[in-house]
Amino acid sequence: MSLTVLMNAGPWLSVPPPGYGGIENVIATLVPELRRLGVRVVLASVDSSTLPVDEQISVFPDGQFQALQRPYNQVCGIAPAHLAGVVRLLHRRDDIDLVHDHVEAVGLATLAAMGPDAPPVLHTLHWDLAKHPALYGNLDGGDRVRVNGVSASQLARAPQALREHSVGHVYLSTPLAVDADRRPRPDKGDYLIILGRINPGKGQDVGARLAQRVGVPLVLAGPVGPYHRPEDLAAAGDEARQNPDVRFFYDEVAPHVDGDLVRWVGTVAGQERDDLLAGARASLFPLRWEEPGGTAVVESLALGTPVVATARGCLPELIEHGRTGLLTGDEEELAELILAADAIDADECRREAATRFTPAVMAQRYVELYEKVRGGTTARHLQPA
């Protein structure tokens, strides 16, 4: 395939990220498979990114994620500065066939505003589409800018103007799904895990209360705001409470963290993360929001760990109730399902991941969408995704 794609990862974290980093991990998973299919990739990220690509551009030497805890008037220029670098490159070169953008709000707005001066754009929506109503409700990308979701349920909640620019959805994937059905059955411990950034939407406070109620140990693995380790958060002092996720942790989660039945271990990565997830009795997702993509869900399946979750957002698309996990709309029933998770077959979870959630499946789907976008195909001409 002769195709050059500018992959716009943004200025917040390197690719791959040094631990937690949902979007950056998605890009790090997708790009090697695209290159295997013959796609030439130009990565727009930060200098410290180490992902092998054909070319890399950047404005910042390192990820700017730490800046997100500062007041808006101190950080509002970071993403525009990165996008300005992308626009400068697009203006001076004619070899970019398509821009695949992953930068929330400002990426879509900037590239749409370029009009016919830019190549075709596919903007992936990784987040809650209830945000940015003025942008999404009035989007006009002409016949050049298209969007895709990471689940059907996510797009179903989008404003009409955004849906009119959609070319469908692509489920997230994980390298752990490759040959997941051929790996030995994992040894299981007697603990639950919630993997992901600690914030109200993920419901770690609900999970902690449920763990206390049913007497099953719970591990909370993920950052609190910009703080990846408990000692880093402790050292930050009262100033850290300016971050809303930090306030949520201290006010709603920390009272249940006793270091025994409920533990917060901070960010875990690499083999440590995989071993912790594979050894869990179940992955718990006590969601308060409409989860758009669910990277941790597919990782859990790939490692043979059943999912016990609130049936919100993409969860019913990813999990088959009674086969690869247990879903409910009721918090009280969630406690009962925790105790029933042992009935789910780990092999079924791993087979599902190996079939549906490998990087090769995701990359092939994106190549199909690239061709639709380059061909000027609009949402009304597409078959339902």
Side-chain angles (χ1 to χ4, degrees):
M1 176 181 297
S2 177
L3 182 67
T4 297
V5 172
L6 187 147
M7 189 72 61
N8 188 23
W12 304 115
L13 291 166
S14 58
V15 183
Y20 178 86
I23 292 171
E24 292 79 11
N25 274 321
V26 171
I27 294 169
T29 299
L30 173 62
V31 165
E33 288 298 319
L34 289 176
R35 297 181 75 213
R36 187 181 63 80
L37 293 172
V39 177
R40 185 173 183 274
V41 175
V42 178
L43 178 66
S45 179
V46 294
D47 282 345
S48 57
S49 291
T50 58
L51 182 71
V53 291
D54 298 281
E55 185 180 348
Q56 182 172 318
I57 65 166
S58 61
V59 170
F60 296 96
D62 205 352
Q64 301 297 297
F65 185 81
Q66 292 281 351
L68 288 177
Q69 67 177 316
R70 302 207 306 260
Y72 173 77
N73 64 355
Q74 297 180 21
V75 303
C76 63
I78 293 175
H82 173 87
L83 263 295
V86 170
V87 170
R88 285 194 296 270
L89 178 138
L90 294 176
H91 276 314
R92 71 173 183 261
R93 290 176 55 167
D94 61 3
D95 62 328
I96 305 296
D97 297 307
L98 179 136
V99 177
H100 188 173
D101 180 63
H102 301 265
V103 180
E104 182 175 357
V106 68
L108 177 62
T110 301
L111 293 166
M114 287 188 71
D117 292 337
V121 174
L122 177 65
H123 173 83
T124 295
L125 301 156
H126 291 274
W127 35 80
D128 179 4
L129 302 185
K131 297 194 291 183
H132 319 307
L135 172 62
Y136 292 155
N138 298 284
L139 179 64
D140 182 5
D143 61 358
R144 188 182 51 83
V145 177
R146 293 288 174 263
V147 303
N148 76 275
V150 289
S151 67
S153 62
Q154 179 201 34
L155 287 175
R157 298 186 301 275
Q160 180 64 28
L162 196 61
R163 290 201 305 271
E164 289 176 354
H165 287 76
S166 169
V167 289
H169 65 276
V170 183
Y171 292 127
L172 301 176
S173 73
T174 172
L176 296 170
V178 178
D179 294 330
D181 53 339
R182 300 182 183 181
R183 289 196 293 267
R185 179 186 287 263
D187 294 328
K188 291 295 181 183
D190 187 26
Y191 63 90
L192 307 168
I193 186 170
I194 300 180
L195 183 66
R197 179 171 299 283
I198 294 178
N199 62 45
K202 302 290 187 181
Q204 283 90 351
D205 58 322
V206 175
R209 291 198 303 270
L210 292 175
Q212 297 278 4
R213 184 187 310 172
V214 301
V216 178
L218 171 66
V219 176
L220 305 175
V224 174
Y227 304 103
H228 291 273
R229 300 182 302 169
E231 54 266 37
D232 294 337
L233 179 58
D238 290 341
E239 183 179 342
R241 285 181 176 267
Q242 296 178 24
N243 184 289
D245 287 349
V246 173
R247 290 197 299 273
F248 166 72
F249 175 76
Y250 277 128
D251 294 344
E252 305 296 337
V253 182
H256 304 286
V257 176
D258 56 12
D260 182 20
L261 201 60
V262 179
R263 296 185 297 133
W264 173 49
V265 298
T267 297
V268 290
Q271 193 61 50
E272 180 187 6
R273 190 275 313 268
D274 296 349
D275 291 344
L276 188 64
L277 187 52
R281 180 175 181 173
S283 284
L284 187 58
F285 294 85
L287 301 174
R288 281 200 186 91
W289 76 318
E290 306 302 328
E291 179 72 48
T295 301
V297 176
V298 300
E299 290 175 339
S300 183
L301 294 180
L303 290 169
T305 298
V307 169
V308 177
T310 310
R312 298 189 65 167
C314 66
L315 268 295
E317 297 176 53
L318 305 180
I319 299 300
E320 183 178 338
H321 179 73
R323 186 172 74 87
T324 57
L326 298 169
L327 303 175
T328 180
D330 180 73
E331 182 178 319
E332 294 299 317
E333 187 182 9
L334 201 58
E336 300 174 14
L337 297 184
I338 288 172
L339 299 176
D342 292 342
I344 302 297
D345 186 353
D347 290 340
E348 282 295 301
C349 298
R350 295 186 295 129
R351 279 192 288 268
E352 184 79 351
T355 301
R356 297 180 62 198
F357 302 124
T358 64
V361 170
M362 180 172 68
Q364 184 58 52
R365 175 68 171 142
Y366 270 117
V367 167
E368 293 168 3
L369 295 192
Y370 293 165
E371 293 304 322
K372 287 180 179 179
V373 173
R374 293 182 68 213
T377 306
T378 60
R380 62 180 175 270
H381 295 142
L382 297 176
Q383 298 296 318

